[in-house]
């Protein structure tokens, strides 16, 4: 008995000591797969491109913070601080620890990591693979443009006016601590990426919840407008207007389409399905009178609308708190309707292409044609027609049409205008931020400055 | 007696009796040598026969069927010196009356190391031990709470007073920057999983240690130096907490019953929220300062409402109670311990509570003279009613105290609770309504089974095989009602989670004792250990309830979602240990461990760790033995290499993961990976001396230095990579300090004893090497915006803009900046201000405890005073409460904002309030950093042990009653701090549930 027991135990011990084979210590990877084998085929490549869209539709980017901040940092809107959100942007008050600057910097570069993973995937050319890579190139251009417009020094006087942003084209290889590229180089790479993307994409793929051929061209007109390359804007806009099949939505349909998931003349929009809607952090919850409800529209923007203008119906005007001095509170309630964030968020709409076209025409002295273009929009909104195609009228129509979609800040600063408090409730630091202020570029976040000694801080921030 | 009978039935036992042909009987009484009182619970034992017996109620024992011969009989009783005598047994009855002497010294004779026990004299390492007596009477939800101030070199802080929440334990400082810094827990010889198993980071944590009943613990030992932690190899760097639970003891069965009931309050009240009147004043001033004098004359205040939100969200005198019942006994063949316990504690904040049911059954059986089997089984069930903690959540009742201005009321005019966002002045939900109607509940069920087989292969060769399983099931329910709160948009929602953790350890030990001659002795051990952990996490949620009172997903009619994830890890090791003793005065220890861990890549998976230790008992030398006053003197030193593997699972692998965009699956970059990831290592040096003089003063001093290298660093990357950081083995730092303990038996006689003890620890931490970036420049690490890791500074150096007060001329906030000439000047521009090291980090540099105990006859009083100096703590949420107007009308203020600038010339603590904020006055700066120095009366214990003579008639062996006060007094040295100075190890005041002050009454009887 004893002997048997002993030998059994001895065997157990030996067994215990030899379980140490490598398999025992090999961990499972159950929810992820190794990056090196992640893209075996065009379907996976397409999924990586979708993953970039997934990053883009986060609350920190297109899901809320980017479009809303671009409005709050302007004369279109302000934050009442009801839930403590968008206050710094509303005051145009940034520091190196500003949550908004960190979110934009980290967020857009995270999108780029996915795009570069797709673009550098080692797959043979096929229609599906080419289309996916074309999408990735076009998005890479768009993402860099969003970064450059916010962090570049092009609108700031007194600093190094050439400082752009790092243009990143690889994932997990190359220089992991890049320096800032000059603004001109960044634009040139953006232009190349748009061109490459458009050449690779299949024009017949028309799903507007992902980047597509015509949307890329529409965004190209925006990029060239930002670069003040008006000839390119005109030529590409004419291509889009004549050949894309899109047209301006009529006044009768305009509000109703906004009420649905999509938006009028939407060419590319971020989709928000049940599984990726923004929930409590939706644009609607911030714009509407909810328990967040921080972002209100200035009386100037509201009062610019003619009473017959169908766009005025997108706003609410109520005295929300009779005890305060403000007679009416104005809110954008018609473009983003569902509090849980099911509304798709437009990235580019056809009307913007028309406006980009009109602005390029006006800037190059073709005011008569510019007038035709802005009146085509006004007419389809039941708004009074303009009598001149002046650049000011183009800007006014642009402000009315694209209001609260995330354009106003960039439209003001790229055209060298001040940002003024136009509403008694606005608390912009100093009342007005003059053209050229250091505040017109976001600070490079402290974490980036600490990690990357090649990075140069924007002027005015320590 | 009936009760006793029932208990006997409940704890059914197996006795086996062996009879011998030629035998006799030993009998006698066991009494106190001085008083002659019988010692109930004493036990006699004949080692060579493995035979023993306890005493009956008259103090008499009987050992029958003793084979004829001469034996050494020993008698043991807690608190008395062991009695030993030769006895000759014939065929008749021998009477041996035993008078036992009180043991006045009572030093721990052995050290529990987790791999066994060792004589304190022979031990070369550094440990701190806490005995069961000092744990038993302290009612805590989680045993680690009871350790604070009792062990030198150990900082234990609770970030929250929510019952059952995890504690931060830091042994000898922070030995890592980014990898885990929590110690390894070893229970009954096997490493166990620890920490929080909650799926939600937003709500209260629930540590799995809360499943342990502190009455079931025999001792806790904290291993600190290399000699004692190196056998735990890669998991030893952060120290090891060895918990030994109670097991059976030979002797008459002793039943113990204890009951306690107590009341909890907040230990420190915290800052006062602004009154309605102050809030109104600040509002008017802020608006007029922003838009011009006379712009407004009143705020939205109705002039009457003045709600104390702190008052209505707390539960004064929250009740806590604990009842335990246990039985312990056995004979020479079979011993057992069985217990059942119930613990129930209400938190101080409405909506928080914890209750626990636990049971333990431990049995050992000597199969024959060579084989012994032991099995220990515990089962427990903990339910925690938690809250949304930290101020970030509008659902938090603690947030309400400060965030909801006093001008708002939680009630409608008719007295019912406001339950509509538009009727409540602020965007925060009415906490009274949500706490009544929402659910935040966690339940942990834990079952552990530890089976041990000891086989004496030869007289000096033993094999021990141990197999332990640990199953933890955590289920959580988060329910938001459909009427009002986070769930009102979707008609109510519920989130149910289920986490199952299965862990097993198989450990085989071969022990060999070799004593070549009387001068030399060797003790060898070879240990193999494999451990594997599997976890599965499953959750589902649903929205839209048709009616109130429905809490399950099956009742939802709206959207539903679900997810499951699985993960595993494994550790395998081979360890060799040797102890060598020479003439009982010179001792050497050595250990080597070869360990593999699944957290690292294939080529770097295995590591070798080792230690050596030496101890020299000088008082064993003849030339010192003559000194009467010197009872004991030992010097010891150890040096070794330990490791730290506390990095996330799968960190070394470059991976992509999967998401969803517009209902289509997508692929996203996930982890950058690093195939060369390997162990973080630390070289530890420990030098110490231990002494006892004049039979009454004992103590020790230890110096330690721990040099960590190949640090597991989350090396910050340029965010342009799409990742924040990559885990790399880069960087070096050290911790060093002195730990001293002194214990004085001022008076020690039978009726009056007075003991004073103190321990002191110092700690210094410095980074000596940091990663460099592509340009060869050192990367300084801003883990958060308040910390920075810099060369020459502690790991978590507070590093921020430095507050320079308020400009008397205009009420502007001021900060310091370099003036360009090596000096400093002030600026009102936040973006121009420079960042400075604030000469502190979140961990104290000097801390310890002072305790004293006085026994007068059967009364005793003991206290423990904890002190902690040298750290600073940061008030995260003062961003809001000291916003100087930045948040318009949204939130409240501290009452201290009353001291603000109003007109030129004012010397004020707070700047001019401005609607929309005064130039980032509330942004991160030392304005919100406070000294963390404090004193705290951790425990005050008053008790009475009922003399045995009163108990005999009612069938009791012993009885005691006691009063225990915890955290009765706290003194913070920084007047401006206002909050409880005990904050989590990270140093943040996060508006968590405050630590508790409790008073407890208890009674304990043995029968």
């Amino acid at each position: 008995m004893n002997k048997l027991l002993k030998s059994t135990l001895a065997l157990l011990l030996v067994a215990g000591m030899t379980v140490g084979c490598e398999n025992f210590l090999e961990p499972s990877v159950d929810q992820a797969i190794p990056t090196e084998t992640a893209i075996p085929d065009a379907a996976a490549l397409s999924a990586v491109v979708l993953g970039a869209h997934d990053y883009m539709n986060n609350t920190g980017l297109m899901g809320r913070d980017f479009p809303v901040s671009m409005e709050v940092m302007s004369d279109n809107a302000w934050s009442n601080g009801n839930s403590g959100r968008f206050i710094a942007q509303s005051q145009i008050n940034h520091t190196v620890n500003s949550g908004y600057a960190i979110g934009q910097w980290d967020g857009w570069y995270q999108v780029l990591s996915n795009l570069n993973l797709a673009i550098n995937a080692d797959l043979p050319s096929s229609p599906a693979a080419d289309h996916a890579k074309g999408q990735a190139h076009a998005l890479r251009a768009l993402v860099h443009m969003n970064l450059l417009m916010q962090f570049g020094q092009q609108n700031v006087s007194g600093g190094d006016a050439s400082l752009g942003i790092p243009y990143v084209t690889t994932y997990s290889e190359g220089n992991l601590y890049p320096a800032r590229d000059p603004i001109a180089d960044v634009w040139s790479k953006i232009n190349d990426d748009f061109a490459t993307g458009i050449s690779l994409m299949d024009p017949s793929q028309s799903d507007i919840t992902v980047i597509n051929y015509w949307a890329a061209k529409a965004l190209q007109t925006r990029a060239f407008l930002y670069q003040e390359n008006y000839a390119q804007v005109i030529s590409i806009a004419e291509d889009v207007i004549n050949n894309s099949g899109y047209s301006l939505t009529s006044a009768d349909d305009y509000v109703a389409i906004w009420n649905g998931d999509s938006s009028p003349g939407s060419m590319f929009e971020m989709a928000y399905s049940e599984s990726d809607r923004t929930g409590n952090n939706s644009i609607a919850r911030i714009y509407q009178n909810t328990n967040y409800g921080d972002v209100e529209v200035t009386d100037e923007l509201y009062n610019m609308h003619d009473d017959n203008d169908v766009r005025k119906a997108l706003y609410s005007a109520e005295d929300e708190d009779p005890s305060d001095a403000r007679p009416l509170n104005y809110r954008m309630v018609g473009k983003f309707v569902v509090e849980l964030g099911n509304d798709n968020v437009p990235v580019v709409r056809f009307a913007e292409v028309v406006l980009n076209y009109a602005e390029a025409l006006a800037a190059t002295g073709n005011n008569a044609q510019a007038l035709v273009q802005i009146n085509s929009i006004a007419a389809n909104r039941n708004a009074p027609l303009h009598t001149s195609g002046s650049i000011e009228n183009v800007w006014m129509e642009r402000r009315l049409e694209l209001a609260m979609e995330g354009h106003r800040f960039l439209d003001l600063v790229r055209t060298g205008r001040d940002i003024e408090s136009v509403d008694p409730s606005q608390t912009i630091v100093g009342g007005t931020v003059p053209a050229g202020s250091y505040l017109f570029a976001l600070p490079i976040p402290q974490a980036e400055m600490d990690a990357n000694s090649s990075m140069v801080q924007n002027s005015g921030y320590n | 007696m009936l009760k006793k009978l029932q208990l006997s039935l409940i704890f059914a036992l197996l006795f086996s009796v062996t009879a011998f042909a030629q035998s006799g009987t030993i009998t006698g009484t066991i009494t106190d040598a001085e008083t002659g009182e019988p010692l109930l619970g004493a036990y006699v034992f004949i080692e060579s026969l493995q035979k023993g017996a306890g005493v009956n109620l008259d103090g008499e024992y009987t050992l029958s069927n003793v084979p004829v011969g001469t034996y050494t009989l020993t008698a043991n009783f807690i608190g008395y010196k062991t009695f030993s005598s030769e006895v000759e047994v014939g065929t008749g009855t021998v009477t041996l009356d035993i008078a036992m002497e009180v043991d006045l010294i009572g030093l721990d004779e052995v050290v529990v190391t987790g791999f066994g026990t060792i004589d304190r004299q022979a031990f070369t390492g550094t440990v701190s031990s806490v005995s069961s007596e000092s744990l038993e009477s302290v009612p805590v939800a989680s045993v680690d709470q009871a350790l604070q101030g009792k062990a030198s070199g150990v900082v234990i802080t609770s970030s929250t007073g929510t019952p059952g929440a995890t504690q931060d334990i830091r042994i000898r400082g922070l030995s890592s920057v980014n990898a885990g810094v929590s110690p390894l827990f070893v229970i009954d010889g096997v490493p166990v999983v620890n920490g929080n198993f909650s799926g939600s980071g937003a709500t209260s944590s629930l540590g799995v240690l809360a499943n342990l009943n502190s009455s079931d613990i025999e001792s806790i030992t904290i291993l600190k130096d290399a000699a004692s932690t190196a056998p735990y190899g890669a998991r030893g760097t952060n120290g090891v907490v060895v918990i030994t639970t109670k097991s059976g003891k030979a002797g008459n069965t002793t039943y113990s019953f204890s009951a306690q009931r107590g009341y909890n309050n907040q230990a420190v009240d915290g800052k006062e929220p602004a009154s309605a009147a102050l809030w109104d004043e600040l509002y008017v001033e802020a608006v007029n300062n922003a838009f011009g004098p006379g712009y407004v004359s009143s705020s939205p205040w109705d002039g009457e409402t003045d709600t104390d939100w702190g008052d209505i969200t707390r539960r004064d005198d929250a009740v806590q109670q604990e009842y335990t019942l246990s039985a312990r006994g056995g004979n020479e063949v079979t011993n057992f311990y069985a217990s059942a316990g119930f613990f129930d504690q209400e938190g101080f904040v409405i909506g928080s509570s914890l209750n626990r049911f636990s049971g333990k059954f431990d049995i050992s059986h000597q199969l024959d003279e060579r084989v012994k089997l032991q099995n220990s089984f515990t089962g427990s069930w903990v339910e925690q009613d938690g809250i949304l903690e930290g101020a970030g959540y509008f659902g938090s009742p603690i947030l309400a105290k400060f965030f909801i201005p006093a001008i708002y009321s939680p009630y409608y005019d008719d007295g019912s609770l406001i339950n509509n966002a538009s009727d409540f002045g602020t965007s925060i939900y009415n906490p009274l309504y949500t706490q009544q109607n929402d659910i935040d509940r966690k339940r942990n069920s834990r079952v552990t089974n530890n089976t041990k087989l000891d086989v004496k292969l030869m007289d000096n060769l033993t094999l021990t095989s141990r197999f332990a399983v640990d199953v933890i099931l955590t289920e959580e329910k988060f329910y938001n009602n459909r009427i009002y709160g986070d769930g009102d948009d979707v008609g109510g929602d519920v989130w149910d989670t289920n986490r199952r953790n299965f862990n097993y350890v198989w450990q085989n030990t071969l022990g060999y004792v070799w004593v070549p001659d009387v001068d030399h002795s060797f003790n060898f051990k070879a240990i193999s250990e494999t451990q594997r952990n599997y976890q599965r996490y499953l959750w589902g949620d649903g929205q839209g309830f048709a009616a109130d009172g429905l809490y399950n997903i099956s009742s939802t009619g709206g959207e539903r979602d679900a997810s499951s994830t699985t993960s595993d890890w494994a550790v395998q090791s081979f360890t060799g240990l040797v102890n060598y003793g020479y003439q009982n005065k010179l001792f050497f220890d050595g250990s080597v461990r070869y360990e593999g861990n699944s957290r690292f890549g294939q080529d770097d998976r295995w590591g070798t760790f080792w230690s050596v230790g030496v101890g020299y008992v000088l008082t064993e030398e003849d030339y010192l033995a003559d000194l009467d006053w010197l009872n004991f003197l030992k010097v010891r030193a150890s040096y070794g290499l330990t490791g730290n593997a506390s990095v996330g699972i799968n960190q070394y692998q470059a991976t992509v993961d999967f998401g969803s965009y517009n209902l289509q699956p997508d692929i996203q970059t996930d982890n950058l990976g690093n195939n060369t990831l390997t162990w973080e290592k630390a070289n530890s040096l420990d030098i110490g001396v231990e002494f006892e003089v004049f039979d009454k003063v004992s103590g020790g001093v230890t110096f330690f230095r721990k040099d960590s290298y190949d640090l597991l660093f989350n090396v910050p990357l340029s965010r342009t990579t799409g990742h924040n950081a990559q885990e790399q083995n880069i960087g070096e730092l050290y911790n060093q300090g002195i730990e001293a303990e002194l214990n004085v038996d001022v008076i020690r006689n039978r009726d009056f004893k007075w003991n004073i003890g103190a321990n002191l620890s110092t700690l210094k931490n410095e980074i000596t090497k940091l990663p460099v970036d592509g340009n060869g420049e050192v990367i300084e690490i801003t883990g958060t915006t308040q910390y920075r890791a810099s060369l020459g500074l502690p790991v978590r150096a507070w590093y921020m803009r430095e507050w320079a007060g308020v400009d008397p001329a205009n009420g502007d906030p001021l900060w310091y900046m370099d003036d360009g000439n090596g000096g400093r000047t002030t600026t009102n521009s936040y973006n121009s201000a420079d960042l400075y090291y604030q000469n502190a980090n979140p961990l104290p540099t000097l801390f310890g405890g002072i305790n004293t105990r006085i026994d007068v006859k059967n009364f005793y009083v003991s206290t423990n005073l904890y002190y902690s100096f040298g750290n600073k703590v940061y008030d995260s949420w003062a961003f809001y409460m000291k916003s100087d107007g930045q948040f318009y009308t949204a939130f409240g203020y501290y009452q201290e904002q009353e001291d603000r600038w109003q007109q030129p010339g004012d010397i004020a603590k707070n700047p001019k309030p401005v609607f929309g904020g005064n130039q980032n006055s509330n942004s991160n700066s030392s304005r919100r950093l406070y000294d963390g120095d404090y004193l705290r009366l951790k425990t005050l214990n008053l008790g009475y042990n009922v003399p045995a003579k009163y108990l005999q008639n009612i069938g009791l062996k012993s009885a005691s009653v006691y009063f225990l006060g915890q955290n009765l007094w706290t003194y913070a040295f920084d007047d401006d701090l206002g909050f409880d100075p005990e904050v989590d190890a990270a140093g943040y005041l996060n508006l968590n549930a405050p630590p508790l002050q409790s008073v407890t009454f208890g009674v304990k009887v043995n029968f």
Side-chain angles (χ1 to χ4, degrees), chain B residues 928-950:
Chain B
R928 297 193 256 147
L929 190 69
Y930 301 97
D931 289 338
D933 304 343
Y934 72 101
L935 301 175
R936 170 168 269 176
L937 189 64
K938 286 298 293 179
T939 56
L940 172 66
N941 205 335
L942 293 166
Y944 177 64
N945 293 317
V946 185
K949 58 187 171 194
Y950 301 132

Side-chain angles (χ1 to χ4, degrees), chain B residues 442-491:
Chain B
K442 300 183 177 68
R443 287 173 174 159
N444 273 353
S445 315
R446 185 174 194 177
V447 172
T448 60
N449 191 67
N450 190 327
T451 307
K452 188 177 127 186
L453 187 68
D454 290 300
V455 183
K456 217 177 201 181
L457 298 174
M458 287 184 281
D459 270 352
N460 48 6
L461 182 65
T462 52
L463 170 69
T464 301
S465 185
R466 201 193 272 275
F467 189 76
V469 295
D470 184 354
V471 182
I472 301 172
L473 295 172
T474 303
E475 54 169 88
E476 298 168 281
K477 183 179 283 290
F478 303 100
Y479 164 81
N480 295 309
N481 77 82
R482 64 199 184 104
I483 306 295
Y484 172 57
D486 283 324
D488 59 6
D489 286 333
V490 291

Side-chain angles (χ1 to χ4, degrees), chain A residues 194-213:
Chain A
F194 271 127
T196 310
I198 288 164
S199 73
L200 287 170
M201 272 189 282
D202 173 0
S204 69
Q205 300 274 344
S206 58
D207 179 358
I208 60 164
T209 65
V210 292
I211 183 73
N212 56 74
Y213 178 83

Side-chain angles (χ1 to χ4, degrees), chain B residues 748-811:
Chain B
R748 192 169 259 282
N749 61 45
R750 196 172 175 81
D751 290 332
F752 185 69
K753 291 176 211 139
W754 181 22
N755 171 282
I756 301 176
N759 68 66
L760 173 145
S761 309
T762 68
L763 187 61
K764 180 171 191 244
N765 173 289
E766 186 180 323
I767 296 176
T768 49
K769 187 177 169 194
L770 281 172
V772 292
D773 70 4
N775 300 334
E777 293 203 25
V778 168
I779 301 176
E780 297 199 323
I781 293 161
T782 40
T784 71
T785 45
Q786 293 87 28
Y787 291 148
R788 175 167 301 188
S790 285
L791 287 180
L793 296 187
V795 170
R796 287 177 170 172
W798 291 119
Y799 201 98
M800 60 186 78
R801 286 173 175 78
E802 191 162 319
W803 182 246
V806 176
D807 190 338
N810 53 19

Side-chain angles (χ1 to χ4, degrees), chain B residues 440-722:
Chain B
D440 173 356
R441 185 183 66 204
K442 300 183 177 68
R443 287 173 174 159
N444 273 353
S445 315
R446 185 174 194 177
V447 172
T448 60
N449 191 67
N450 190 327
T451 307
K452 188 177 127 186
L453 187 68
D454 290 300
V455 183
K456 217 177 201 181
L457 298 174
M458 287 184 281
D459 270 352
N460 48 6
L461 182 65
T462 52
L463 170 69
T464 301
S465 185
R466 201 193 272 275
F467 189 76
V469 295
D470 184 354
V471 182
I472 301 172
L473 295 172
T474 303
E475 54 169 88
E476 298 168 281
K477 183 179 283 290
F478 303 100
Y479 164 81
N480 295 309
N481 77 82
R482 64 199 184 104
I483 306 295
Y484 172 57
D486 283 324
D488 59 6
D489 286 333
V490 291
D493 59 55
V494 63
W495 181 39
D496 270 324
T497 82
N498 184 306
R499 188 187 299 270
R500 186 197 62 202
N501 197 80
F502 175 77
N503 188 291
Y504 73 80
V505 179
W506 188 27
Q507 192 186 67
N508 292 296
T509 307
L510 208 50
Y512 182 66
V513 180
W514 181 45
V515 186
D517 58 50
V518 71
D519 282 343
H520 306 275
S521 70
F522 292 87
N523 195 336
F524 299 95
K525 270 188 180 148
I527 303 152
S528 82
E529 186 178 278
T530 50
Q531 179 172 25
R532 203 166 169 88
N533 193 80
Y534 300 93
Q535 192 172 96
R536 191 212 56 187
Y537 182 52
L538 177 70
W539 61 257
D541 67 24
Q543 300 175 337
F545 290 102
D548 292 335
L550 300 171
Y551 306 112
N552 287 324
I553 297 170
S554 69
S555 310
T556 57
E559 284 170 20
R560 293 177 182 174
D561 200 0
S563 167
S564 66
T565 56
T566 53
S567 65
D568 57 31
W569 54 262
V571 177
Q572 184 155 39
S573 67
F574 304 96
T575 310
L577 304 175
V578 59
N579 305 117
Y580 164 71
Y582 174 70
Q583 286 186 347
N584 213 29
K585 64 182 177 196
L586 199 54
F587 301 93
F588 290 97
D589 282 340
S591 76
V592 60
R593 178 170 171 118
Y594 182 60
E595 176 168 344
N597 192 308
S598 66
R599 285 165 204 260
F600 302 121
Q602 212 149 25
D603 298 336
D604 301 285
R605 198 163 273 166
W606 288 86
T608 306
F609 307 93
W610 55 270
S611 72
V612 291
V614 57
Y616 181 27
V617 183
L618 294 155
T619 37
E620 293 288 326
E621 298 287 2
D622 293 340
Y623 59 90
L624 282 180
D626 297 338
L627 295 178
D628 284 347
W629 57 272
L630 184 65
N631 311 104
F632 181 71
L633 182 65
K634 180 172 101 177
V635 291
R636 57 181 162 70
S638 71
Y639 187 74
L641 175 69
T642 57
N644 185 356
S646 304
V647 289
I649 296 169
N650 304 126
Q651 276 302 299
Y652 75 89
Q653 290 148 308
T655 52
V656 294
D657 64 4
F658 299 85
S660 155
Y661 176 72
N662 204 20
L663 302 179
Q664 305 161 81
D666 66 44
I667 297 176
Q668 295 190 306
T669 51
D670 173 34
N671 188 32
L672 199 54
N674 172 11
N675 259 321
T676 61
L677 201 64
T678 188
W679 307 94
E680 176 171 312
K681 300 172 195 78
N683 282 320
S684 298
L685 171 70
D686 208 88
I687 300 171
V689 55
E690 289 167 32
F691 64 89
E692 185 188 323
V693 293
F694 301 115
D695 286 325
K696 56 169 60 170
V697 178
S698 62
V701 181
T702 304
F703 166 82
F704 73 90
R705 180 173 167 118
K706 185 158 63 177
D707 284 283
S708 302
Y709 61 101
D710 283 355
L711 291 179
L712 287 165
F713 238 115
N714 284 324
V715 175
L717 295 175
S718 166
R719 307 297 172 96
T720 59
T721 59

